[in-house]
């Protein structure tokens, strides 16, 4: 704070981050309530003023939040925000702001995954290394017996309404469907389904679901020389000091967003040793390491595009949605559109092919752009290469540099160099839970987040500015989990 040379500390990332750190770590701004105040509150149980309740007052990071959310379409305003997306955004901001100083405070969260492809035709394999900072896991949906019976009754009642026998306004078969389609055209925004109560599951079941092989369409095999299918599977090549795990509680059901109300049994500690990557095995035939040995770029399915356009959406939005969901189905494409209605380029044309880079077209790299990237802490050769790869687009070049921050620049003499897929030892795969974040509410678009942190063996609750010992820590309903390596 003292050494910062900024003339506007209120708009300085480093000033606001340092101020937050001092406020949280020093203890000066979180004094315990006085005995006199506790006695008054004890005798006045009718006082509902939250500011007078006997809890530890925390430090509200309003100015810090303003800095990290500046100019962001989601985080710069008071809109309902996703905790996981905000966490990822903060990590990205920290990387950008600290890169010029040669440090990366987010390395504790980073780890690598081994992505394995096996061609369904020739059974040749292809390995790829992916760097990430969080692990999203799907939750198995196992219906309770009572829910299944309830669904059957609801379906029967809906059929009566659709056939004109119920109390609905439809006068004949199909009228309810037509009315619903018309509503979608007008509003283009679905109503939400309430949270569905499901049978409890375990963390092991979630991890088993994540690690299962999945079928990948439109895989371009370097041996078969054509688009085919492949089996895709993930394993851990390395393990982070802090593992951030996201329980994917928000899903789409018949185009409508829904929250999964399911208890996930989370142990105090667990091991990922069974999910360690092993690299290429004896007897496996490796696919040629060419640019074509990756999933081919698909084209939008015409039937999916037509179905979405008939509902009142633009052709560009329909094509974009079909590509994003890999032509899975019109329902999946509609789910994506509903979840991304406010995306600025939703209706923009999709280029038929990527434009040639500055390197391919022979365009020079502007010296001013190179100098600006160097001032941000990037080496000259990396700055020039990034600009060439992005057709001298400064914003895209910065994104490229941060997304390829640890990757060496390619060398023409080493085009056929093979990847090192050797995994590390299983040691370091053991973790213990020390924090989690809960989403309170039955709907995906509204609710409230409460964080829990284990301090000195006790769970502490962080609820806005209220900090108190948690009498109950509902980890089974958490949306985000934080595990520490042991």
């Amino acid at each position: 704070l003292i050494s910062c040379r900024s003339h506007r500390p209120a708009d300085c990332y480093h000033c606001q981050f340092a101020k937050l750190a001092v406020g949280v770590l020093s203890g000066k701004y979180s004094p315990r309530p006085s005995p006199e105040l506790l006695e008054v509150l004890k005798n006045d149980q009718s006082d509902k003023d939250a500011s007078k309740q006997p809890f530890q007052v925390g430090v509200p990071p309003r100015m810090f939040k303003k800095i990290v959310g500046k100019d962001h379409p989601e985080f710069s305003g008071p809109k309902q925000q996703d905790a996981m997306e905000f966490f990822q955004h903060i990590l990205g901001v920290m990387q950008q702001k600290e890169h010029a100083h040669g440090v990366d405070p987010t390395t504790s969260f980073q780890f690598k995954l081994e992505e394995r492809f096996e061609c369904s035709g020739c059974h040749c394999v292809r390995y790829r290394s992916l760097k990430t900072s969080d692990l999203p896991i799907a939750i198995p949906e196992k219906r309770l017996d009572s829910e299944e019976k309830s669904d059957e009754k609801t379906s029967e009642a809906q059929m009566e309404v659709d056939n004109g026998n119920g109390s609905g306004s439809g006068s004949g078969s199909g009228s309810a469907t037509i009315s619903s389609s018309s509503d979608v055209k007008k509003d283009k925004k679905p109503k939400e389904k309430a949270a569905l109560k499901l049978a409890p599951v375990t963390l092991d079941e979630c991890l088993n679901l994540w690690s299962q092989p999945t079928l990948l369409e439109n895989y371009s095999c370097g041996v078969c020389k054509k688009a085919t299918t492949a089996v895709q599977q993930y394993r851990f090549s390395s393990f982070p000091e802090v593992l951030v795990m996201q329980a994917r509680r928000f899903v789409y059901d018949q185009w409508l967003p829904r929250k999964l109300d399911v208890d996930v049994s989370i142990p105090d500690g667990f091991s990922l040793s069974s999910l360690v990557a092993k690299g290429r095995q004896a007897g496996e035939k490796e696919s040629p390491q060419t640019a074509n040995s990756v999933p081919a770029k698909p084209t939008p399915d015409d039937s999916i595009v037509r179905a979405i356009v008939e509902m009142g959406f633009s052709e560009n939005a329909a094509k974009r949605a079909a590509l994003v969901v890999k032509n899975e189905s019109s329902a999946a494409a509609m789910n994506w559109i509903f979840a991304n209605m406010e995306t600025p380029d939703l209706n923009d044309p999709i280029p038929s092919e990527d434009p040639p880079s500055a390197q391919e077209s022979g365009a020079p790299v502007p010296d001013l752009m190179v100098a600006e990237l160097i001032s941000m802490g990037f080496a000259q050769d990396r700055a020039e290469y990034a600009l060439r790869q992005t057709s001298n687009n400064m914003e895209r070049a910065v994104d490229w540099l941060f997304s390829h921050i640890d990757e060496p620049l390619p060398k023409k003499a080493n085009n056929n160099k093979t990847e090192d897929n050797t995994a590390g030892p299983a040691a370091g795969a053991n973790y213990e839970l020390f924090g989690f974040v809960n989403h309170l509410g039955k709907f995906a678009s509204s609710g409230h987040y409460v964080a829990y942190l284990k301090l000195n063996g006790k769970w502490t609750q962080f609820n806005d500015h209220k900090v108190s010992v948690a009498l109950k820590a509902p980890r089974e309903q958490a949306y985000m989990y934080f595990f520490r390596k042991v």
Side-chain angles (χ1 to χ4, degrees):
L1 286 173
I2 298 176
S3 61
C4 182
R5 299 180 180 179
S6 173
H7 297 293
R8 297 177 58 87
D11 296 329
C12 175
Y13 160 84
H14 293 95
C15 285
Q16 294 306 319
F17 207 116
K19 186 181 75 172
L20 178 62
V22 171
V24 172
L25 301 176
S26 68
K28 295 180 180 179
Y29 305 95
S30 54
R32 295 182 61 82
S34 64
E36 293 79 9
L37 177 58
L38 290 175
E39 187 63 28
V40 169
L41 293 172
K42 181 179 180 181
N43 297 329
D44 187 9
Q45 298 296 327
S46 62
D47 191 348
K48 302 300 182 181
D49 186 352
S51 64
K52 296 182 180 179
Q53 294 297 317
F55 56 75
Q56 183 70 49
V57 179
V59 178
R62 297 187 185 93
M63 297 184 72
F64 173 77
K65 196 260 184 186
K66 180 182 178 181
I67 289 291
V68 298
K70 185 178 180 181
D71 299 328
H72 192 281
E74 296 292 331
F75 305 130
S76 59
K79 296 174 59 177
Q80 177 72 20
Q81 298 159 353
D82 183 90
M84 189 67 210
E85 292 178 0
F86 188 61
F87 172 77
Q88 294 170 331
H89 174 68
I90 286 181
L91 293 188
V93 171
M94 293 172 67
Q95 285 181 327
Q96 293 184 27
K97 298 295 185 180
E98 302 293 346
H99 181 75
H101 300 279
V103 297
D104 184 359
T106 70
T107 54
S108 297
F109 302 101
Q110 296 171 5
F111 60 99
K112 289 184 178 181
L113 293 174
E114 175 193 86
E115 186 179 26
R116 180 182 183 273
F117 302 95
E118 181 177 344
C119 177
S120 302
C122 64
H123 296 287
C124 290
V125 297
R126 163 93 163 113
Y127 288 90
R128 192 163 62 178
S129 180
L130 302 177
K131 186 177 180 181
T132 184
S133 57
D134 59 83
L135 182 69
I137 56 171
I139 302 176
E141 298 185 37
K142 299 193 298 185
R143 296 289 186 91
L144 295 169
D145 293 338
S146 58
E147 292 291 343
E148 293 176 354
K149 295 178 181 178
S150 175
D151 286 349
E152 292 176 1
K153 293 180 180 179
T154 301
S155 299
E156 293 174 359
Q158 185 63 44
M159 289 177 63
E160 292 181 1
V161 172
D162 292 342
N163 292 327
N165 298 326
S167 59
S169 60
S171 59
S173 178
S175 61
T177 303
I178 295 174
S179 174
S180 174
S181 176
S182 176
D183 291 341
V184 172
K185 287 183 181 180
K186 292 178 181 178
D187 299 336
K188 292 188 180 180
K189 211 162 189 179
K191 295 181 179 179
E192 273 192 271
K193 288 189 175 183
L196 177 64
K197 185 65 178 178
L198 299 170
V201 298
T202 64
L203 176 60
D204 284 341
E205 289 179 283
C206 297
L207 291 172
N208 287 338
L209 182 61
W210 172 83
S211 62
Q212 289 300 309
T214 57
L215 188 65
L216 182 68
E217 302 287 347
N218 295 303
Y219 179 79
S220 182
C221 178
V223 176
C224 298
K225 305 295 183 182
K226 65 178 182 179
T228 179
T229 60
V231 176
Q232 182 185 35
Q233 194 170 27
Y234 294 97
R235 288 293 186 269
F236 287 89
S237 296
S238 64
F239 297 97
E241 291 299 319
V242 177
L243 175 63
V244 181
M245 191 178 294
Q246 176 197 20
R248 301 176 64 177
R249 292 187 175 275
F250 304 117
V251 298
Y252 283 86
D253 182 7
Q254 297 179 348
W255 304 351
L256 298 179
R258 176 166 60 86
K259 179 183 177 182
L260 299 180
D261 183 6
V262 52
D263 291 347
V264 181
S265 178
I266 304 293
D268 290 329
F270 70 100
S271 176
L272 293 171
S273 57
S274 62
L275 299 178
V276 174
K278 299 179 180 178
R280 196 177 72 164
Q281 300 297 294
E284 289 184 338
K285 184 179 179 181
E286 192 167 11
S287 178
Q289 303 291 321
T290 65
N292 293 327
S293 297
V294 294
K297 183 178 181 180
T299 56
D301 187 282
D302 290 338
S303 62
I304 295 178
V305 173
R306 286 197 303 270
I308 297 177
V309 170
E310 289 175 359
M311 296 188 67
F313 294 95
S314 70
E315 184 176 352
N316 289 331
K319 289 180 178 180
R320 192 178 299 275
L323 290 174
V324 169
V325 302
K326 300 178 181 179
N327 293 324
E328 179 181 342
S329 65
S330 58
M334 284 300 303
N335 287 342
W336 183 87
I337 288 181
F338 285 139
N340 295 271
M341 291 291 292
E342 299 179 7
T343 302
D345 62 348
L346 179 63
N347 297 299
D348 291 351
I350 302 175
S352 58
E353 59 182 12
D354 295 332
S357 66
Q359 186 177 23
E360 294 171 343
S361 62
V365 178
D367 293 337
L368 289 177
M369 289 187 177
V370 175
E372 187 173 348
L373 291 175
I374 292 176
S375 68
M376 297 174 63
F378 296 105
Q380 181 175 346
D381 57 343
R382 297 190 69 83
E384 293 176 350
Y385 183 82
L387 288 168
R388 290 193 183 98
Q389 296 303 307
T390 57
S391 300
N392 293 332
N393 185 303
M394 187 67 178
E395 184 177 351
R396 290 176 57 203
V398 172
D399 290 339
W400 187 94
L401 286 165
F402 281 115
S403 61
H404 299 77
I405 198 166
D406 289 332
E407 294 183 14
L409 295 181
K411 297 180 180 180
K412 294 182 179 180
N414 294 331
N415 284 340
N416 296 321
K417 185 178 179 180
T418 57
E419 298 177 6
D420 181 11
N421 292 293
T422 305
N430 299 323
Y431 288 89
E432 65 176 2
L433 179 70
F434 75 92
F436 59 91
V437 177
N438 273 19
H439 174 268
L440 307 181
K442 295 183 178 181
F443 299 98
S445 63
S446 62
H448 180 68
Y449 287 109
V450 178
Y452 294 83
L453 189 64
K454 200 169 190 179
L455 300 172
N456 299 321
K458 295 182 179 180
W459 285 104
T460 302
Q461 175 183 274
F462 297 82
N463 187 355
D464 286 340
H465 64 290
K466 177 180 179 180
V467 182
S468 60
V469 175
L471 300 178
K472 181 182 179 182
R475 67 174 78 178
E476 64 280 354
Q477 282 285 332
Y479 175 53
M480 293 175 62
Y481 294 98
F482 294 81
F483 299 94
R484 181 190 297 114
K485 184 185 289 188
V486 293

